[in-house]
Amino acid sequence: MGDFVLKGNICYSVSKTEIKACPHSYIVCMDGKSCGVFEKLPQQYESLPLIDYGNRLIIPGMVDLHIHAPQYAFRGMGMDLELMGWLQEQAFPEEVKYEDLDYACDAYSIFAEQMRKSATTRACIFATRHWKATVLLMNLMEETGLITYVGKVNMDRQAPQELCEEDVEQAILDTRKWLEKNRGKYRNTMPILTPRFLPGCSEPLLEKLQEVRKEYDLPVQSHLSENPEEVESVKKLFPNAGFYGDTYHKYGFFGNDAKTIMAHCVWSTEEEVECMRGNGVFVAHCPASNMNLASGIAPIKRYLELGIKVGLGSDVAGGQNESIFRAMTDAIQVSKLYWRYVDSAWKPLTFEEVFYMATKGGGEFFGKVGSFEEGYELDAIVLDDSMQPYPQELSLRQRLERSIYLSIDLNGIYAKYVAGKKVKCS
Ligand code: GUN
Ligand code: FE
């Protein structure tokens, strides 16, 4: 698809405190990038093809910084557990099945199809330990047109034997096979190093993964300080570390050597928070998961004020669905409980802040992504909010807020563009 103009009711974040709402306006897309939003179409763009979305809303595509593809199959089930029990009873038994490529193909096809239909245009995805199934997932994600990072999971302890790497040598062989299989193969699908979490990773494994990371220049994703029992176990497993993330830092997995996303950060200590800030670690805030697994409430307002990079994650199946609209409202709601019950120093998150996190905040992990400002890659979704009728006059800002609160993304997206390319989403 070449250059074009979209017309409609356009909303996008310019900062944590400001959403621009531009009724009946134009976005110009050239070479996959936005040339800006205009109330009146400048003459030099008049010859470009124009797609008029009428009274519908056009907003940036959603960025999901943390989702587990193999857990999609059991979303919404087995939620009455905390993290460590939930992993043993729900997540691990399901993930074992991805050794079987027929099962992986069935399950991952459903996942990819649902992601295609969702409001998400960019995602960072965990697969399982199995390198072949991970390649299969990458093939399927490439077909969706979304731009994603996908990681073969590395773990060598505290899980059923079938889910643990046989030994460090085999782990590295498998990780290399996975990386060689996808090298230069995709336009939109990129590998990301994925040590699962510290209870599941021995130091010899982390050490060897560091070499692989450097050799292939990979970004990193993992979990951090999610649950009190997990944090306690990490203290015992790594007694010399100053804090949970200190061990990731030791191996260059904490923003110090590579672009890094850490999911959750509910129980991070002052030192850990300072290290995340100093190294530009992205926090994937996953409020649905933190509620479902009773992990707690991450102090996101504080992180934002400290200048930490924060995006949102669905964390399916800790979170029950892939809706980043839902993640936005959950983020606001849990922040209200945090303010009321935990620390009145930190006011609730605003709609502007969560919209920023869902788009421009998380989008930064992918480059200039998540806004319609000039020079940003054009990821856009078109919403038809007439599916939730209203009798009164509403401003564009009100229509945006209710569309998010009512999670209208779960009923389908009217149109979707990723880096200036139209993607099938129905
Ligand atoms: N920590 C380690 N693995 C997982 C997982 O699959 N989900 C969540 N929420 N936390 C984890
Ligand atoms: Fe997770």
Side-chain angles (χ1 to χ4, degrees):
M1 192 164 174
D3 303 339
F4 58 90
V5 179
L6 303 181
K7 183 169 187 223
N9 293 303
I10 299 168
C11 300
Y12 60 103
S13 271
V14 289
S15 72
K16 287 172 214 166
T17 53
E18 190 186 355
I19 295 172
K20 283 233 191 288
C22 314
H24 304 295
S25 295
Y26 304 83
I27 312 176
V28 177
C29 178
M30 293 181 88
D31 294 329
K33 296 197 174 84
S34 171
C35 300
V37 175
F38 306 94
E39 227 173 274
K40 195 173 168 307
L41 190 64
Q43 206 177 2
Q44 79 250 42
Y45 303 126
E46 275 174 2
S47 60
L48 294 179
L50 183 143
I51 305 121
D52 188 347
Y53 285 109
N55 197 32
R56 298 181 184 89
L57 275 64
I58 307 177
I59 68 174
M62 298 293 112
V63 180
D64 188 340
L65 280 189
H66 186 78
I67 182 164
H68 297 259
Q71 296 177 9
Y72 199 78
F74 73 92
R75 70 197 187 286
M77 294 185 275
M79 290 299 204
D80 297 333
L81 292 160
E82 275 193 64
L83 176 66
M84 300 309 245
W86 176 82
L87 286 171
Q88 295 297 337
E89 288 187 33
Q90 300 291 332
F92 293 159
E94 178 64 24
E95 290 189 23
V96 165
K97 298 180 191 167
Y98 289 74
E99 178 72 37
D100 173 356
L101 286 179
D102 290 333
Y103 184 78
C105 186
D106 287 349
Y108 281 156
S109 296
I110 294 170
F111 171 77
E113 181 66 5
Q114 294 298 107
M115 291 304 280
R116 192 174 64 70
K117 291 180 183 164
S118 76
T120 298
T121 50
R122 311 256 172 168
C124 297
I125 304 173
F126 279 55
T128 62
R129 167 182 77 72
H130 312 96
W131 73 269
K132 285 183 187 160
T134 306
V135 172
L136 197 152
L137 173 63
M138 292 174 87
N139 293 341
L140 291 165
M141 288 315 298
E142 181 73 9
E143 283 169 27
T144 64
L146 271 67
I147 296 182
T148 62
Y149 285 100
V150 177
K152 172 205 157 351
V153 167
N154 291 113
M155 68 187 304
D156 65 346
R157 62 185 183 192
Q158 296 205 15
Q161 206 184 354
E162 309 96 289
L163 261 201
C164 292
E165 317 274 11
E166 223 173 275
D167 51 38
V168 172
E169 203 178 319
Q170 191 61 45
I172 299 306
L173 278 175
D174 283 3
T175 304
R176 284 180 184 283
K177 277 190 213 154
W178 160 61
L179 289 164
E180 287 302 325
K181 275 278 172 203
N182 63 55
R183 204 202 267 269
K185 185 170 166 194
Y186 307 112
R187 257 183 87 97
N188 292 331
T189 316
M190 298 156 285
I192 182 165
L193 196 77
T194 307
R196 185 172 200 133
F197 66 156
L198 287 185
C201 296
S202 69
E203 292 225 44
L205 176 62
L206 293 169
E207 208 175 305
K208 288 286 176 198
L209 287 176
Q210 179 179 25
E211 290 170 19
V212 175
R213 198 218 64 70
K214 281 189 189 149
E215 191 180 323
Y216 288 85
D217 192 21
L218 299 172
V220 180
Q221 60 179 357
S222 193
H223 297 91
L224 180 69
S225 299
E226 177 177 2
N227 165 285
E229 185 189 348
E230 173 213 16
V231 171
E232 279 313 304
S233 92
V234 168
K235 273 188 199 154
K236 293 201 181 86
L237 289 165
F238 302 90
N240 299 323
F243 48 92
Y244 192 142
D246 199 17
T247 301
Y248 290 135
H249 187 263
K250 178 171 166 191
Y251 295 103
F253 301 155
F254 213 57
N256 43 338
D257 283 356
K259 201 165 69 164
T260 298
I261 301 172
M262 287 290 156
H264 307 300
C265 312
V266 175
W267 299 99
S268 295
T269 61
E270 284 304 320
E271 246 186 314
E272 181 160 282
V273 170
E274 180 45 35
C275 192
M276 291 193 291
R277 194 195 59 72
N279 289 294
V281 169
F282 283 76
V283 173
H285 178 39
C286 308
S289 169
N290 297 159
M291 287 190 275
N292 288 325
L293 302 179
S295 300
I297 306 174
I300 297 301
K301 187 77 166 193
R302 198 172 119 233
Y303 293 168
L304 287 179
E305 301 218 344
L306 285 169
I308 290 175
K309 298 173 195 289
V310 189
L312 294 177
S314 62
D315 194 25
V316 166
Q320 68 273 31
N321 66 38
E322 69 280 14
S323 169
I324 295 297
F325 286 19
R326 176 67 192 258
M328 278 191 254
T329 53
D330 286 342
I332 293 176
Q333 289 168 346
V334 299
S335 76
K336 288 180 178 171
L337 296 177
Y338 189 86
W339 171 67
R340 181 67 74 197
Y341 285 123
V342 183
D343 189 345
S344 61
W346 300 105
K347 290 225 177 88
L349 292 170
T350 63
F351 183 72
E352 273 71 13
E353 286 167 329
V354 298
F355 192 71
Y356 175 88
M357 291 194 280
T359 56
K360 203 174 171 181
E364 194 188 333
F365 191 75
F366 290 84
K368 279 188 108 173
V369 170
S371 181
F372 293 148
E373 291 160 283
E374 193 183 347
Y376 272 71
E377 290 182 45
L378 196 109
D379 285 17
I381 52 173
V382 181
L383 304 174
D384 187 354
D385 66 340
S386 68
M387 62 171 74
Q388 294 282 356
Y390 50 94
Q392 76 279 52
E393 285 274 316
L394 294 179
S395 70
L396 183 48
R397 169 67 170 69
Q398 287 174 314
R399 287 174 62 191
L400 175 67
E401 186 174 352
R402 83 192 273 282
S403 296
I404 305 290
Y405 265 89
L406 301 181
S407 299
I408 69 165
D409 59 330
L410 290 171
N411 292 326
I413 298 300
Y414 192 79
K416 184 163 170 173
Y417 296 81
V418 182
K421 287 207 167 51
K422 190 155 191 221
V423 165
K424 199 165 165 283
C425 65
S426 55

